[in-house]
Amino acid sequence: MKPENHSSVSEFVLLGLPILPEHQGVFFALFLGMYLTTVLGNLLIILLIRLDSHLHMPMYFFLSHLALTDVSFSSVSVPKMLMNMQTHHFFISYPGCISQLYFYICFSCVDNLLLAVMAYDRYVAICHPLHYTTIIREELCVLLVTASWITSCAHALLHTVLLVRLSICANNVITHFFCDLSVLLKLSCSDISLNELVIFIEGGMILLLPLAIILGSYIRIGTIILKAPSTKSVLKAFSTCGSHLLVVSLFYGTIVGVYLLSSSWYSKDIIASVMYTVVTPMLNPFIYSLRNRDIKQALECLLAGLKKFIGQ
C-alpha cells in the first residue's frame, strides 16, 4: 500500500515536561535560570580564552569550541520548551520540528567528537610531553575541529533525510519536550527498518569510535601515571585530566540514561533527557572553572581589570 504523503501532518504537539499546572511557574523560573547560567557560563569561558594570551593553547582552543557547542546544543530545545511552558502553546510546525531534530543531532555529535579530540590532546601532553608542540600544531587543531563539525553536519543530515522520506500517521503527538528522533520514528506508518539499520551501524560508530579513543587515551595515561616516580607528577597529571574526565562521565552517563536505560516509563526518559540537554551543558563551565587553575587565574585577571575600569 502506498503511504500517504508526510505533508498531511503540518505540525506536531509537544507534550513537554510532566509537570502539574500549578507547578509550571516554579519550573519555568528554574529552567530559565539554568538556561541563562548555561549561556552566560559558556560564553564567559569563550571570552576568557579569547582575551587571555596564557590560554591560547590547544587544550583551551578545543574547550572554547566545546563551550560554543554546549550553548548551541542547549539553545536547540530549551527556549522552545520555556516558550511552551509560558504560553501554553504546545505546537511546533513540521519544518520547525525537522530543523530542531537536525541541530539537536548535529550539536550532540560535535560534543561527542570534541571530547575525543580533547582526550587525544591530553594523551599526547602526558605520554609524549617532549613532542607535544610538534604533534599538536595549530594546523592539526583546526583540522580536528573542522573535521568534527563537518562529520557532525553530515551525520545529522543523513538521519534527517532518512526521516523526512517517511510518512507520519494521524497521531502527531510527541511525548517529549523536543523533536527526538526515536519518538518521531514511532509516529511513522512507513517502514523504518532502514532508519533503524543506519542508527545501529552509522550511529553506533559515531558514538563508539570517540568513546574508544577516550578510553584508549586514558588507559594509556593511567599506565604512565602509575609508573610515575613521584606523587607530585601524579597529581599534576590528574589535574590536567580531572575536569575532562568529569565532563566525559556526565556526557556518556546521561546518554546511557537517555538511550540505554529508558523504559516505558515516560517520566524516566524525560528526566534523563533534561539531564542531557539542560543540566550537563550548565555544569561544564563550573567544572572547568573550579578545577582549572589557568581558567581561575584568567577570571581573576578579568575581574580585577573590570574593578579597575569601574573605579576610574
Side-chain angles (χ1 to χ4, degrees), residues 3-273:
E4 59 179 302
N5 197 303
H6 70 256
S7 60
S8 59
V9 176
S10 60
E11 61 183 10
F12 294 96
V13 179
L14 291 171
L15 287 187
L17 301 173
I19 301 172
L20 295 174
E22 57 268 26
H23 298 154
Q24 289 277 352
V26 175
F27 279 94
F28 174 82
L30 174 63
F31 285 116
L32 178 61
M34 293 172 72
Y35 176 66
L36 291 177
T37 303
T38 299
V39 173
L40 295 176
N42 282 288
L43 289 181
L44 179 61
I45 292 287
I46 296 171
L47 180 65
L48 291 174
I49 293 172
R50 292 286 295 175
L51 294 180
D52 197 317
S53 59
H54 296 97
L55 301 180
H56 293 174
M57 295 185 291
M59 179 174 70
Y60 298 111
F61 174 73
F62 298 137
L63 177 58
S64 66
H65 280 271
L66 183 69
L68 175 63
T69 305
D70 281 339
V71 171
S72 304
F73 181 54
S74 190
S75 298
V76 169
S77 58
V78 178
K80 176 63 177 173
M81 177 186 72
L82 292 172
M83 187 180 74
N84 291 352
M85 293 173 69
Q86 187 68 14
T87 63
H88 304 289
H89 181 81
F90 300 102
F91 295 94
I92 184 171
S93 66
Y94 182 88
C97 185
I98 296 302
S99 300
Q100 188 183 64
L101 171 70
Y102 172 82
F103 287 111
Y104 178 85
I105 296 174
C106 179
F107 291 131
S108 63
C109 183
V110 175
D111 243 354
N112 186 30
L113 295 175
L114 285 177
L115 289 174
V117 169
M118 294 173 76
Y120 174 71
D121 172 73
R122 293 299 83 208
Y123 158 74
V124 176
I126 294 173
C127 299
H128 304 283
L130 299 179
H131 303 287
Y132 179 77
T133 54
T134 57
I135 297 174
I136 309 295
R137 303 183 309 278
E138 182 179 351
E139 297 82 2
L140 180 62
C141 294
V142 173
L143 178 63
L144 289 172
V145 169
T146 303
S148 297
W149 280 98
I150 292 175
T151 302
S152 300
C153 290
H155 168 68
L157 183 62
L158 173 63
H159 290 282
T160 305
V161 168
L162 288 175
L163 177 72
V164 296
R165 71 184 182 86
L166 302 176
S167 299
I168 303 298
C169 300
N171 181 18
N172 66 337
V173 178
I174 297 176
T175 56
H176 224 302
F177 62 89
F178 66 94
C179 295
D180 183 58
L181 179 60
S182 60
V183 179
L184 288 171
L185 288 176
K186 292 176 183 177
L187 298 180
S188 173
C189 44
S190 303
D191 181 13
I192 62 171
S193 57
L194 178 60
N195 300 71
E196 292 175 335
L197 181 64
V198 172
I199 290 172
F200 180 75
I201 298 176
E202 188 270 348
M205 288 177 61
I206 287 290
L207 179 66
L208 295 178
L209 282 178
L211 180 59
I213 292 172
I214 293 170
L215 291 176
S217 297
Y218 277 107
I219 288 172
R220 182 62 180 150
I221 289 171
T223 58
I224 294 295
I225 290 176
L226 291 176
K227 294 178 182 177
S230 65
T231 306
K232 185 179 179 180
S233 59
V234 172
L235 293 175
K236 183 180 179 181
F238 183 75
S239 67
T240 63
C241 300
S243 300
H244 181 257
L245 267 175
L246 194 51
V247 170
V248 167
S249 301
L250 277 171
F251 182 82
Y252 283 101
T254 49
I255 285 181
V256 169
V258 172
Y259 295 106
L260 299 183
L261 298 183
S262 357
S263 65
S264 57
W265 182 26
Y266 162 58
S267 299
K268 180 181 178 182
D269 188 24
I270 291 289
I271 292 169
S273 296

